[in-house]
Amino acid sequence: MLPILLKLKLATTAAAGLAAATPVPMPAIAVAMTIVERAASPVEVKLFDENLQVNATVAIRRDGTMDDATAAEVKHLFRCRTTGREHAIARRTLAMLADIAEKYEPRAIEFVSVYRVQHGESATSPHRDARAIDFRIRGVQLPKLRDYLWRTYTEVGIGWYPAEQFIHMDSRPALHDTAWTFLTGENHYHPYWAEVARRPVSETPPPRHRSGV
Ligand SMILES: [Zn+2]
């Protein structure tokens, strides 16, 4: 058995050797670890069901994944309100949801409608495909939400419903981005706000990125 002092000396020497052999300084490693931990830790997503007027909180990771128990809870919360059927919501859509939940923390996301599979729902509706969420956040102006989502993400559909007071957000992998304003009973595509929101504010605009992975 080694004397304690010698053990300490060996440990110190080993640590020094490790530090010397590592090309990245320790503080940078610590920073990287923090980033990795942050990416892996879920976001607390506060929800408010507008139809049933109840609150729920679920933990969703920034890439839109979650544990099995949460996945079951999310499926149930976002079920079709006409048929009662449940469906897993698209991961990229949940990644965007986690993003805005974090951005506007601690406000709740008031959801109006998510999965819709009832008779009469269009065959091409992203709601039927469990990729869309209609929602608002109390205290946040809809145009701010709308512009943030449109500016930040690609392969999305973003609809603004000023009369109904909600934003439609869907992920549509490999499809063109689509923006619209719903007014007087119909969609108006290529709205001016969409052009303005993506206009570069400087010579080097921030890059857009896809939701999730
Ligand atoms: Zn919608």
Side-chain angles (χ1 to χ4, degrees):
M1 193 172 166
L2 293 166
I4 283 173
L5 267 177
L6 179 56
K7 272 205 267 188
L8 271 176
K9 178 142 175 48
L10 284 173
T12 311
T13 310
L18 179 67
T22 309
V24 185
M26 290 304 280
I29 291 174
V31 168
M33 286 300 289
T34 307
I35 291 169
V36 168
E37 280 165 18
R38 184 181 170 278
S41 67
V43 175
E44 192 176 77
V45 180
K46 292 192 174 74
L47 298 168
F48 179 74
D49 181 330
E50 189 209 55
N51 292 286
L52 299 177
Q53 300 277 304
V54 292
N55 292 290
T57 301
V58 290
I60 302 176
R61 297 185 198 98
R62 289 169 184 81
D63 65 357
T65 61
M66 60 216 135
D67 63 38
D68 291 347
T70 306
E73 191 181 354
V74 168
K75 261 168 95 165
H76 186 67
L77 281 166
F78 291 160
R79 68 194 177 280
C80 174
R81 295 309 167 91
T82 307
T83 65
R85 283 175 64 184
E86 299 180 0
H87 195 292
I89 308 301
R91 188 157 70 99
R92 290 187 58 220
T93 301
L94 293 177
M96 290 194 284
L97 192 72
D99 176 27
I100 55 169
E102 186 173 42
K103 182 175 169 65
Y104 294 106
E105 189 190 7
R107 297 177 190 275
I109 292 168
E110 299 188 13
F111 63 96
V112 177
S113 182
V114 188
Y115 181 46
R116 294 203 302 251
V117 74
Q118 74 271 21
H119 182 74
E121 184 71 16
S122 157
T124 56
S125 165
H127 285 281
R128 183 177 281 281
D129 211 20
R131 291 184 281 109
I133 300 181
D134 297 337
F135 71 99
R136 67 179 72 93
I137 300 176
R138 193 157 296 184
V140 178
Q141 292 178 350
L142 287 183
K144 282 211 164 130
L145 266 180
R146 173 198 76 188
D147 292 354
Y148 169 73
L149 290 165
W150 185 248
R151 193 167 48 236
T152 308
Y153 293 103
T154 58
E155 297 183 41
V156 290
I158 304 297
W160 178 37
Y161 293 71
E164 294 80 2
Q165 278 293 295
F166 67 77
I167 295 292
H168 164 109
M169 158 179 100
D170 72 67
S171 58
R172 41 183 75 193
L175 291 176
H176 284 298
D177 295 337
T178 308
W180 66 92
T181 299
F182 184 83
L183 262 186
T184 57
E186 57 182 306
N187 289 342
H188 299 266
Y189 294 99
H190 307 292
Y192 184 62
W193 60 259
E195 188 193 318
V196 173
R198 286 189 173 181
R199 195 176 281 167
V201 290
S202 69
E203 286 185 8
T204 52
R208 297 186 199 119
H209 58 84
R210 291 172 47 156
S211 60
V213 177

